[in-house]
Amino acid sequence: MSNSFVKNLDRVIEDVEKARIKNSEHHIVDIVAISKYSTTNDIKELFDAGQQSFGENKIQDLKLKSKELKELPIRWHFVGKLQKNKINNLIEIKPALFHSLDSLSLAYDLNKKLFEKNKTINCLLQINSSYEQSKSGVNPQEAVAIYKDIEKNCPNIKLKGIMCMAPNSDDENIVKKSFKISKEIYDKLEDATILSMGMSGDFQTAISCGSNMIRIGSKLFSKVGQN
Ligand SMILES: *Cc1c(COP(=O)(O)O)cnc(C)c1O
């Protein structure tokens, strides 16, 4: 039986390929499949087709799904808002990457708990480059200083780069503007290697602005014909 999610994956890979080549042949883009609206069977289907990184936005879902699929060598990502009372759960699950470290105060609390447990976690600093109140993340103007503060004072947090979400807008120029703000910050961070930006509706734009990690949910997990 030919399979809809696999077709979606093929199409996303093709689109990513075109977008990244426009940027540079050497520009590699990682795809994280955001499985928040999907079952473990759906995840398994995409994993069998070659997709290895999956992301969730709720700690409880990350815990359940990663447990249910623990036989598979999936690289799990956490992309959602982390409440401070869930820090221990995150540490316990130890995802491959925590994208949404969104304040200095969360970083200090997370580092303290990691230190006590003698553990580390790979993180991205989330930047609110859309300047929308509803979105999390540090202010772009303070981002470089906060990043350096975390690098200096939180040795158990392994910062790998930054993450951002586009503003809610159909205007590509507005979206581009916010992606460019993130790229400028990323370029100022010498040790950063990951720029996580772009979702189903804007990943080509994000890649044209330098993104090297995209987080794709609906484009991968909707039934064929829905997008
Ligand atoms: C849901 C989600 C995505 C994926 O969104 P789609 O538009 O479905 O691709 C990406 N990043 C975060 C943080 C999300 O919560």
Side-chain angles (χ1 to χ4, degrees), residues 64-226:
L64 284 171
K65 290 180 187 174
S66 62
K67 200 169 165 191
E68 226 174 288
L69 293 168
K70 65 174 184 298
E71 269 76 46
L72 304 181
I74 288 176
R75 287 194 294 272
W76 287 102
H77 294 234
F78 185 64
V79 301
K81 174 109 192 141
L82 182 68
Q83 305 300 336
K84 285 185 173 171
N85 61 2
K86 299 275 166 63
I87 288 177
N88 284 332
N89 301 60
L90 183 81
I91 295 174
E92 215 175 284
I93 301 165
K94 198 175 180 14
L97 188 62
F98 169 38
H99 291 231
S100 30
L101 182 61
D102 60 4
S103 73
L104 191 56
S105 128
L106 178 63
Y108 275 59
D109 286 11
L110 175 60
N111 184 68
K112 185 164 176 270
K113 294 255 167 69
L114 285 165
F115 180 80
E116 284 164 12
K117 295 169 197 283
N118 195 21
K119 292 198 168 151
T120 62
I121 189 163
N122 296 327
C123 295
L124 302 179
L125 181 64
Q126 184 174 354
I127 316 245
N128 187 0
S129 50
S130 69
Y131 289 96
E132 282 177 359
Q133 288 257 302
S134 61
K135 293 216 162 73
S136 309
V138 305
N139 186 307
Q141 261 104 41
E142 298 168 332
V144 173
I146 291 175
Y147 196 96
K148 290 188 170 155
D149 190 324
I150 297 170
E151 279 187 318
K152 185 163 169 241
N153 297 310
C154 302
N156 295 61
I157 289 178
K158 303 298 173 194
L159 274 184
K160 302 291 175 190
I162 63 175
M163 181 275 232
C164 71
M165 289 175 76
N168 300 320
S169 168
D170 293 332
D171 184 339
E172 202 190 327
N173 287 322
I174 293 175
V175 172
K176 252 190 185 153
K177 196 174 150 205
S178 86
F179 285 157
K180 282 183 176 158
I181 290 173
S182 299
K183 175 65 161 60
E184 274 169 29
I185 295 165
Y186 174 73
D187 286 340
K188 286 183 190 146
L189 305 167
E190 279 156 33
D191 304 328
T193 55
I194 299 174
L195 177 54
S196 167
M197 62 184 194
M199 319 199 321
S200 290
D202 54 27
F203 67 91
Q204 283 113 324
T205 307
I207 293 169
S208 79
C209 294
S211 164
N212 61 16
M213 183 174 279
I214 57 174
R215 311 177 307 270
I216 308 294
S218 46
K219 267 257 153 77
L220 286 175
F221 287 108
S222 60
K223 302 287 180 210
V224 153
Q226 284 183 354

